[in-house]
Amino acid sequence: ERYYRSILTIPGGRARAVILHDMLPENITSGFTTGDGAVSFVKVNLSSIDRLLGLNDLRYLLFEEQVRQHPEWETVFATDGQDVVVLHNPCTLVEKQPEKVFSHAQEQHTLKSYTWMKKKFDQLGGKYMEWFETAKQNHSMTVLNAGILGGKRAVVLKALAKLNEVIMDPELPRRKANTQITANMAAFNYVLRTEFGSDIVYGFPLHSKWFGFENRTD
């Protein structure tokens, strides 16, 4: 609900939120859909999605499908819902740097220091793990967080397509073992770092500090 309310109170408005779901009751979706199109709901069909993919991984397939269906969307942000609130319209930042991809970052963590990331790259294995072992030697390489992905439509589609290539790779160890894949954070860091390099924007004023518990209005 905090995310929903924040969309409706963005200074200056001019932002729309499309919330994907697979099982919300009609009284909820109709009751919270706004007449001006600021918030709408789209029911997705998960029956054709690879059953091995965890929720945070399969969302990228749904995001890409949704963005491709809407060529009129010039600027797109795909975000988490439960732990995100929107305090300003991020599209204004994109207009200033249209070639960039916008992301959240865990600025207190690097690939080397955040051992949890190694577990996620273990799920990807192969060339992805090889990249991780090299990349973590850069002691200042910040961990990117998959809670925010945004930019111009073409930029976001490029990122989503590459993310889906990774999570659908038939050579993933977990796919070969027929066990659940929950590697979205590893895929996210691999794709953004290898495809966009220095063209990644994160930090203030795009987002607050990860787990910083900041009480901000900007």
Side-chain angles (χ1 to χ4, degrees), residues 130-190:
E130 290 177 9
W131 174 85
F132 172 74
E133 292 293 345
T134 300
K136 74 178 185 179
Q137 300 310 313
N138 179 345
H139 292 196
S140 63
M141 186 170 285
T142 301
V143 172
L144 302 175
N145 186 286
I148 298 174
L149 172 63
K152 285 296 186 181
R153 182 175 185 274
V155 172
V156 173
L157 277 176
K158 175 184 175 181
L160 290 172
K162 292 296 183 179
L163 278 165
N164 289 326
E165 282 183 19
V166 174
I167 65 172
M168 294 302 294
D169 188 339
E171 297 303 312
L172 297 185
R174 286 212 170 183
R175 178 162 281 110
K176 289 184 173 182
N178 200 38
T179 55
Q180 189 176 55
I181 300 166
T182 57
N184 70 101
M185 279 282 287
F188 191 83
N189 278 266
Y190 173 82

Side-chain angles (χ1 to χ4, degrees), residues 95-150:
E95 292 303 317
K96 297 175 183 177
Q97 301 182 85
E99 77 285 1
K100 305 285 189 179
V101 65
F102 291 74
S103 166
H104 189 253
Q106 299 173 204
E107 296 169 286
Q108 61 271 62
H109 292 142
T110 65
L111 287 180
K112 185 175 181 64
S113 67
Y114 198 35
T115 56
W116 180 86
M117 285 297 293
K118 183 181 185 303
K119 298 177 183 178
K120 295 304 176 180
F121 272 96
D122 280 336
Q123 293 191 29
L124 298 182
K127 64 182 181 182
Y128 312 110
M129 177 56 82
E130 290 177 9
W131 174 85
F132 172 74
E133 292 293 345
T134 300
K136 74 178 185 179
Q137 300 310 313
N138 179 345
H139 292 196
S140 63
M141 186 170 285
T142 301
V143 172
L144 302 175
N145 186 286
I148 298 174
L149 172 63

